[in-house]
Amino acid sequence: MSLQTPYQPPDETLHPASPAQILVLLAMVGLLVVASNAVAWGVLKVASPNISDVQVVRKWDLLERGGVVDTLILGDSTGNQGLDPAQLDAMIGGRSLNLCTLGNFMLVDDAWMLQRYIERHGPPRRVVLVHAANVWNRPVHPASFATIPMGLGEMGRRVPSVTFKTKQKVEFLMRRYIPIYYADQSLRLMAMRPWLVPRVRPVITERGFMPRSGAASPEVIEGDVNEAVDEYERRKFGVARVNEAALHEIVRLAESGDFPIYYVDAMVSDRLVDVPAYRQQVDALHAYLRGLGGDRIKIVLDQPIGFADEYMQDSEHITVEAAAKYTEAVGLRIMEIGAGETESKP
């Protein structure tokens, strides 16, 4: 019978260290953190599966190198996947660019993008604004602005101005410069299941259209519609101060450049389109826009367009099949409005 010596963990000895050695160790840790974030940033830039991040980066890149266009399409994600610029051009002529981004930016980056475009190319022939009704009274989420390629100083100087409190600046800087912190889910997906990345990474055309396939289940849409109805019933119509400032700036630029602004309501589920609380919000919004913009703002759709479940990904985002129908309806109305204005001129 053999006797086994019980396992004894090794003794760890604390070696003496000089201040210089401690500084070297801290520097190595710091370099490791910087290098890890640099690698993560580079990987995410090339192959991020985060739809929102890819969308914002791509749209600002198109703004910088997209050249001169006739129609500038601005707005949130509903317009991003709802309005096809190539199809619109076939109807109204000229060249369009879809720069719609995210609802969390509200109308702020609409104004900023229009300013940047005019600074580079002069005024477009027309601007098309596409927004969901619930965007107008949203609170500002400063950290989300970190994906916009603009420094904090410039954001404070632009119109409308977006300023940050100390805590918000920290969140903004972490969101922008520490991807290991903010993009951990994306990085985990890329490391653990890289074969899924091409499936979820969005495709955005050279004209800025992001076609999306695959409707959600009726149960998912019904749940999302119910949440939207609750929100519209809780909130009375209102316009956030930063949105009002942004709209004033867009109208000022339109008057200076003598081009029209075509406002288009986002498409919605046909379960939502006739809900009284939603329709009241839309009617109040149209009245507000007419009062502020006068003849400069054209309301394209007198009534929002509703789509059946088979065309919806949630209560306000449509599939590529529905986008063709939506773009056709918008294009026809822009043509009608434009023809009416031409006939009314002496």
Side-chain angles (χ1 to χ4, degrees):
M1 180 177 181
S2 63
L3 296 177
Q4 294 184 345
T5 304
Y7 171 76
Q8 295 292 331
D11 292 330
E12 298 290 352
T13 302
L14 183 62
H15 299 283
S18 67
Q21 289 175 315
I22 293 174
L23 289 175
V24 169
L25 179 61
L26 292 175
M28 291 176 63
V29 172
L31 287 173
L32 179 62
V33 171
V34 171
S36 299
N37 278 284
V39 171
W41 184 86
V43 170
L44 289 168
K45 185 177 180 179
V46 174
S48 174
N50 186 301
I51 294 176
S52 297
D53 287 358
V54 172
Q55 181 181 331
V56 175
V57 171
R58 173 72 165 152
K59 294 307 181 77
W60 276 88
D61 180 62
L62 286 173
L63 172 64
E64 295 299 323
R65 62 180 184 82
V68 177
V69 299
D70 299 283
T71 305
L72 205 59
I73 305 168
L74 304 170
D76 56 39
S77 56
T78 59
N80 170 62
Q81 65 189 73
L83 209 55
D84 182 350
Q87 181 182 351
L88 189 65
D89 289 350
M91 300 179 69
I92 67 175
R95 183 172 181 270
S96 300
L97 188 62
N98 186 331
L99 297 179
C100 294
T101 54
L102 304 175
N104 277 346
F105 299 151
M106 302 175 289
L107 275 76
V108 174
D109 76 335
D110 296 353
W112 289 352
M113 283 180 154
L114 183 56
Q115 291 165 3
R116 185 73 66 87
Y117 178 86
I118 292 174
E119 289 166 3
R120 289 176 174 270
H121 306 296
R125 185 175 178 182
R126 67 182 67 84
V127 164
V128 177
L129 286 181
V130 187
H131 277 292
N134 62 8
V135 161
W136 288 86
N137 201 21
R138 285 190 187 182
V140 176
H141 298 283
S144 66
F145 282 74
T147 52
I148 295 177
M150 187 182 295
L152 283 169
E154 186 177 355
M155 289 182 182
R157 294 190 299 269
R158 287 276 176 181
V159 179
S161 171
V162 175
T163 56
F164 301 81
K165 297 178 181 178
T166 301
K167 181 180 178 181
Q168 293 171 335
K169 286 182 180 178
V170 172
E171 292 175 353
F172 177 96
L173 294 172
M174 291 181 70
R175 177 78 170 80
R176 174 167 288 185
Y177 297 114
I178 309 181
I180 289 179
Y181 163 75
Y182 84 82
D184 60 308
Q185 297 299 317
S186 294
L187 292 169
R188 184 176 291 113
L189 174 65
M190 296 170 74
M192 304 299 292
R193 292 184 288 175
W195 61 88
L196 292 181
V197 172
R199 293 192 217 169
V200 298
R201 185 173 170 85
V203 174
I204 300 177
T205 70
E206 286 296 320
R207 309 288 286 281
F209 178 52
M210 191 175 84
R212 300 293 289 169
S213 301
S217 69
E219 293 77 19
V220 169
I221 295 170
E222 182 179 10
D224 194 63
V225 168
N226 290 338
E227 290 181 9
V229 171
D230 289 343
E231 180 182 357
Y232 286 120
E233 288 178 344
R234 284 196 316 269
R235 288 188 184 183
K236 292 183 179 180
F237 173 74
V239 178
R241 185 176 300 175
V242 71
N243 274 338
E244 188 163 22
L247 188 61
H248 274 285
E249 174 66 4
I250 292 169
V251 171
R252 184 192 71 78
L253 293 170
E255 290 175 343
S256 176
D258 193 26
F259 57 85
I261 303 163
Y262 291 91
Y263 183 78
V264 185
D265 296 296
M267 67 303 296
V268 294
S269 165
D270 59 6
R271 298 171 184 255
L272 180 61
V273 71
D274 291 321
V275 171
Y278 169 74
R279 293 301 293 271
Q280 289 168 8
Q281 293 270 344
V282 171
D283 292 343
L285 172 60
H286 288 182
Y288 169 80
L289 292 173
R290 291 189 179 101
L292 188 147
D295 292 336
R296 188 61 59 182
I297 298 180
K298 321 292 182 184
I299 307 297
V300 175
L301 302 173
D302 293 328
Q303 309 292 336
I305 300 177
F307 286 95
D309 289 355
E310 64 199 73
Y311 295 114
M312 304 301 300
Q313 295 193 320
D314 56 33
S315 63
E316 294 174 323
H317 292 85
I318 55 178
T319 62
V320 64
E321 294 81 9
K325 301 175 184 291
Y326 179 73
T327 303
E328 181 179 15
V330 170
L332 287 172
R333 282 291 295 139
I334 290 176
M335 292 169 64
E336 290 172 5
I337 296 170
E341 289 175 343
T342 302
E343 291 173 1
S344 65
K345 291 181 180 180

